[in-house]
Amino acid sequence: MSDELIQIETPFAFNEENQREFDKLIGRYPIKEAAMLPTLHLAQRQAGYITPAVMKYVAEQLEVSVMKVKDVVTFYPMFFEEPVGEYVIRVCHTLPCALRDCKEVLDHLKAKLDTDVASETNLAKGTTADGKFTLMKVECLASCDVAPVIMINDDLYKNLTPEKVDEVLNNL
Amino acid sequence: MVEEKRILYEHLDVPDINTFDVFRQYDGYKGFEKAIAEYQPEEIAKMVLDSGLKGRGGAGFSTGEKWSFVPRDIEPRYLCCNADESEPGTFSNRYVLEKNPHLLIEGILICCYAMGIETTYVYIRGEFTLGKKMLDAAIKEAYEQGYLGEDIRGTGLNVNIYTHPGAGAYICGEETGLIESLEGKRGQPRNKPPFPAVEGVFRKPTVVQNVETLCNLPFIVSNGVEWYTQMGPTYADTRFDPPKPDANTGTKLYCISGDVNEPGVYELELGLTCTELIEVAGGLRGEEVKAVIPGGSSAPILTHYELDTRLDFTSLTLAKSMLGSGGIIVMNETRNIVDCLLNIMKFYAHESCGQCTPCRWGTPWVRDIVQRIADGNGRQSTITRPKFGIAENGRWGDTGETEEIYEDLDLLESVANNIANVDTMTWNTICVFGIAVSWPAVSYMRKFRPEFEAAIRESKLVTLPVAEATVPPEENYAYQQRFVPKEFADL
């Protein structure tokens, strides 16, 4: 990633609250680089997704190369390099949920939101036209007893049926 | 019917148990107070070793033994609590974190006291936002009450706990992957040795323990080793002469999901059978058990012939499977095993970290083969070849019969065994992810071969009745090796 590319983006910096949070984080580890994941989470919450400018800023803060940040961002599925909807809907589709008909829930969401399922390299595919929702499949969410489950942003919804999905979406 | 034996989960449903005051009312932090008042750190480590506590995260390694590898003369030492619960079918840690986080803090304190550790990182799954929030709140309270921080309860003990969020990678549940991730890198596991106990996070000695393991510690200290060792079976390890006791002590948080009437977490003494567990979980949803996954999706599958297998570390290992994280998934007669394998193989193909070539290329390859079979495009050679087996003379050789070749099934087994060989238990990868892929792939295929063959033959998924779909034990190579352990007391 060259510097010219980065300059096209709007520069990124932590707001006051996140800066305070970041200062707290950095004191927890003997090396700054170790604060990478929590810092990226913080930055993603502020910026919406990880832009090159965010990576550059995080790299400066943690005193590592931009490449190293990129390295980490591309490894973890929870970091987005493209814009996502206001609500990110994660549908679990691993075996215990599959045994309890998660496909029905997913198909219903697809029809209702009129969108495809996002892939890791193409988040736009699963984002609704109004930019409100991003629909994606994820691996086990560790709630197999209340399967099928979905996560909308930070909240978990359990024992879903298509009717319950409607209810959940209406209450957002 | 087997009774639930709630120890870790005893107060889980008490309202507001997540707050310090309520936790104290239910004997919270008493184990830790007893530890610092009555025992030296070495005595605690000895107690844990004697208790026979095995790590609950998956490998089932003796906790006391692991602690004994940590060099006491290198400072600082770290504790990493593994709360990256991602194994499909496992969900017991989530409830501890969300409902009773102080119990985990107490466990951490005891471990820190025993090992002289000042800094603990709780690596918590990125998706566990509620769990992290609850744990953070509990940690804050514990600091305020003087149970964390500097000079705890006037003993001169300093302990700090920090939570560290993951970001959705399954492999970070592997201990060295977790350490790499904690250091701010891609979560790609390290070569072992050196083991984390010697060189772990920040290249310092590190104890890595699962949430459930740590939660056992307060009870071992409060109630004593003798109380703890009474629970669960102790087998005879006959590899030694005279045989050594092989303890499977304590309770386990069995997470049961799939086709049962009341899925959930059941805390039971180790050593009950599959059938008993299904009964505890409200019985089977459906007519007949087709298959049971005994320890998270990585574990080799058990057929209906194997439901008498006891669910503990030793018995399952000898049954050529594993207890793993205790995530039990039950499947009834309506399930298609090819379809189930496809689901699991998609999971592993997605979660392979990409570090070792056999795994990076092998996992998508295995997935594609299973996908092909499920789509009805499985490859079947038209030629027949001599069938090898036990011949008339009683020796291995040409049986005089011929068999049709299911090319894709041979290929599936070959590719899976080249990631990690399930028969020799050797893996061509750095971490045990390799074996976690080939174990299900090969065991499903060998134990439910008729269903795979039918899918290839008829070019579509065919769900056979349970009896037809399962390979009888006497014909199943992996099953023949099954061995039921003897109890130590019986010798």
Side-chain angles (χ1 to χ4, degrees):
Chain A
M1 200 179 317
S2 69
D3 270 10
E4 301 94 75
L5 261 178
I6 292 163
Q7 272 149 20
I8 308 168
E9 304 271 337
T10 27
F12 174 86
F14 278 138
N15 59 26
E16 216 170 285
E17 192 195 334
N18 284 344
Q19 184 62 47
R20 260 201 307 277
E21 187 74 15
F22 173 74
D23 291 338
K24 239 193 286 173
L25 277 177
I26 211 85
R28 296 176 172 185
Y29 307 94
I31 53 169
K32 279 190 169 178
E33 190 189 344
M36 182 81 82
L37 294 190
T39 309
L40 283 169
H41 274 298
L42 213 60
Q44 181 163 278
R45 215 169 305 146
Q46 189 183 320
Y49 66 105
I50 311 277
T51 60
V54 172
M55 286 187 220
K56 188 166 181 256
Y57 180 75
V58 170
E60 278 162 11
Q61 296 296 308
L62 300 177
E63 294 166 15
V64 293
S65 69
V66 183
M67 206 55 233
K68 224 161 187 175
V69 181
K70 173 100 179 164
D71 197 34
V72 171
V73 169
T74 50
F75 185 80
Y76 296 94
M78 280 182 83
F79 297 129
F80 305 129
E81 283 189 272
E82 289 173 59
V84 286
E86 187 187 342
Y87 297 102
V88 177
I89 305 179
R90 295 181 162 92
V91 185
C92 175
H93 73 293
T94 313
L95 189 58
C97 277
L99 294 178
R100 295 260 169 174
D101 274 340
C102 71
K103 198 170 175 299
E104 208 180 50
V105 172
L106 184 68
D107 288 343
H108 183 73
L109 275 165
K110 268 186 353 196
K112 177 134 178 130
L113 301 175
D114 189 25
T115 176
D116 208 350
V117 182
S119 74
E120 250 161 56
T121 46
N122 187 0
L123 291 169
K125 201 169 94 181
T127 308
T128 51
D130 57 359
K132 205 169 173 200
F133 297 99
T134 298
L135 182 64
M136 57 173 74
K137 288 204 281 189
V138 292
E139 300 299 349
C140 191
L141 287 171
S143 299
C144 318
D145 53 339
V146 286
V149 291
I150 65 170
M151 243 180 111
I152 303 183
N153 289 350
D154 288 348
D155 300 315
L156 188 78
Y157 297 90
K158 309 163 181 176
N159 287 326
L160 292 172
T161 53
E163 296 78 49
K164 274 196 191 167
V165 169
D166 287 340
E167 206 179 300
V168 167
L169 289 181
N170 288 339
N171 292 340
L172 280 178
Chain B
M1 185 154 147
V2 182
E3 290 285 310
E4 258 201 273
K5 184 152 190 152
R6 285 193 157 208
I7 296 170
L8 271 64
Y9 266 24
E10 193 184 355
H11 304 308
L12 194 78
D13 298 322
V14 173
D16 296 328
I17 189 78
N18 59 319
T19 61
F20 182 82
D21 292 334
V22 178
F23 185 65
R24 280 294 280 176
Q25 278 169 29
Y26 289 91
D27 294 339
Y29 291 108
K30 291 279 160 66
F32 170 63
E33 280 167 9
K34 188 177 174 196
I36 51 175
E38 293 176 24
Y39 299 104
Q40 291 300 313
E42 295 74 24
E43 287 174 306
I44 302 281
K46 179 83 176 37
M47 277 173 96
V48 174
L49 183 64
D50 291 344
S51 75
L53 174 66
K54 288 190 176 183
R56 301 297 199 237
F61 192 76
S62 159
T63 306
E65 224 172 291
K66 194 191 251 183
W67 290 9
S68 71
F69 300 148
V70 177
R72 298 255 179 179
D73 51 350
I74 303 174
E75 296 279 349
R77 295 181 288 274
Y78 293 101
L79 169 63
C80 288
C81 171
N82 186 345
D84 190 70
E85 185 172 51
S86 334
E87 181 75 24
T90 317
F91 41 91
S92 57
N93 295 354
R94 178 192 274 271
Y95 288 116
V96 175
L97 295 166
E98 288 180 359
K99 293 187 175 175
N100 198 358
H102 279 289
L103 180 63
L104 175 61
I105 299 175
E106 190 180 353
I108 290 173
L109 280 167
I110 293 172
C111 179
C112 287
Y113 174 66
M115 303 305 298
I117 291 168
E118 295 196 350
T119 312
T120 299
Y121 296 105
V122 182
Y123 189 98
I124 192 163
R125 235 192 120 161
E127 288 90 342
F128 283 4
T129 32
L130 179 61
K132 183 169 182 294
K133 202 173 108 194
M134 299 308 258
L135 183 62
D136 278 335
I139 290 172
K140 190 160 170 270
E141 257 185 321
Y143 270 110
E144 284 162 9
Q145 299 287 343
Y147 280 85
L148 283 177
E150 290 188 1
D151 194 18
I152 296 165
R153 316 300 294 161
T155 53
L157 181 70
N158 308 326
V159 176
N160 287 307
I161 303 180
Y162 305 119
T163 53
H164 185 100
Y170 168 77
I171 196 62
C172 295
E174 202 276 347
E175 57 178 358
T176 54
L178 183 145
I179 285 168
E180 285 282 303
S181 179
L182 189 60
E183 288 181 0
K185 301 174 203 151
R186 294 165 83 95
Q188 293 177 325
R190 292 177 185 167
N191 257 319
K192 291 189 266 190
F195 287 90
V198 181
E199 198 180 293
V201 68
F202 310 123
R203 304 278 163 199
K204 297 288 182 212
T206 306
V207 181
V208 185
Q209 301 287 196
N210 180 261
V211 171
E212 194 185 330
T213 317
L214 289 169
C215 288
N216 270 292
L217 300 177
F219 302 102
I220 294 175
V221 174
S222 327
N223 301 324
V225 171
E226 205 169 302
W227 168 83
Y228 195 78
T229 48
Q230 275 169 7
M231 292 182 289
T234 298
Y235 298 111
D237 192 342
T238 45
R239 287 173 302 175
F240 298 96
D241 189 34
K244 278 186 181 173
D246 178 15
N248 283 268
T249 47
T251 59
K252 176 88 188 79
L253 300 172
Y254 290 103
C255 314
I256 182 160
S257 60
D259 294 321
V260 288
N261 285 320
E262 292 160 29
V265 183
Y266 295 90
E267 184 167 8
L268 297 147
E269 264 184 50
L270 278 165
L272 79 167
T273 64
C274 273
T275 318
E276 283 167 336
L277 184 68
I278 293 170
E279 204 180 308
V280 172
L284 181 78
R285 201 179 64 156
E287 299 289 315
E288 236 182 311
V289 179
K290 187 166 193 174
V292 174
I293 301 174
S297 67
S298 312
I301 205 161
L302 300 180
T303 65
H304 72 99
Y305 294 108
E306 295 166 285
L307 294 179
D308 59 338
T309 310
R310 294 174 78 173
L311 296 168
D312 59 51
F313 296 101
T314 308
S315 301
L316 278 168
T317 307
L318 291 174
K320 293 253 163 180
S321 187
M322 67 164 182
L323 182 60
S325 53
I328 287 119
I329 307 171
V330 181
M331 291 171 228
N332 68 16
E333 79 286 351
T334 62
R335 305 302 178 185
N336 190 297
I337 300 296
V338 182
D339 206 20
C340 294
L341 181 63
L342 176 61
N343 187 300
I344 291 177
M345 286 304 122
K346 279 182 180 167
F347 173 80
Y348 286 107
H350 179 259
E351 297 295 346
S352 174
C353 79
Q355 188 176 203
C356 317
T357 314
C359 177
R360 182 176 66 240
W361 293 104
T363 47
W365 194 354
V366 172
R367 178 201 60 199
D368 290 347
I369 296 168
V370 183
Q371 179 81 61
R372 198 153 72 206
I373 297 171
D375 288 347
N377 302 324
R379 293 179 194 159
Q380 178 187 16
S381 295
T382 46
I383 51 162
T384 51
R385 68 177 176 196
K387 185 180 181 184
F388 280 81
I390 308 296
E392 265 177 22
N393 59 7
R395 303 175 73 173
W396 184 268
D398 190 347
T399 55
E401 296 165 31
T402 51
E403 63 177 351
E404 284 182 313
I405 303 174
Y406 291 90
E407 195 186 326
D408 265 349
L409 297 188
D410 288 358
L411 184 65
L412 174 68
E413 185 163 336
S414 159
V415 176
N417 271 335
N418 274 307
I419 303 171
N421 193 312
V422 296
D423 295 319
T424 58
M425 283 300 286
T426 47
W427 43 95
N428 299 332
T429 51
I430 288 176
C431 75
V432 289
F433 187 96
I435 200 91
V437 180
S438 46
W439 247 345
V442 176
S443 73
Y444 288 34
M445 206 270 289
R446 283 190 188 163
K447 292 185 177 180
F448 294 92
R449 193 171 172 109
E451 210 153 86
F452 285 82
E453 288 182 356
I456 296 176
R457 208 171 41 238
E458 300 186 22
S459 296
K460 62 170 196 241
L461 281 182
V462 185
T463 308
L464 299 174
V466 178
E468 281 176 43
T470 320
V471 177
E474 57 274 10
E475 286 178 29
N476 186 328
Y477 168 65
Y479 185 82
Q480 274 181 346
Q481 307 248 322
R482 187 176 166 226
F483 179 65
V484 180
K486 281 203 178 75
E487 297 234 6
F488 192 70
D490 293 345
L491 279 183

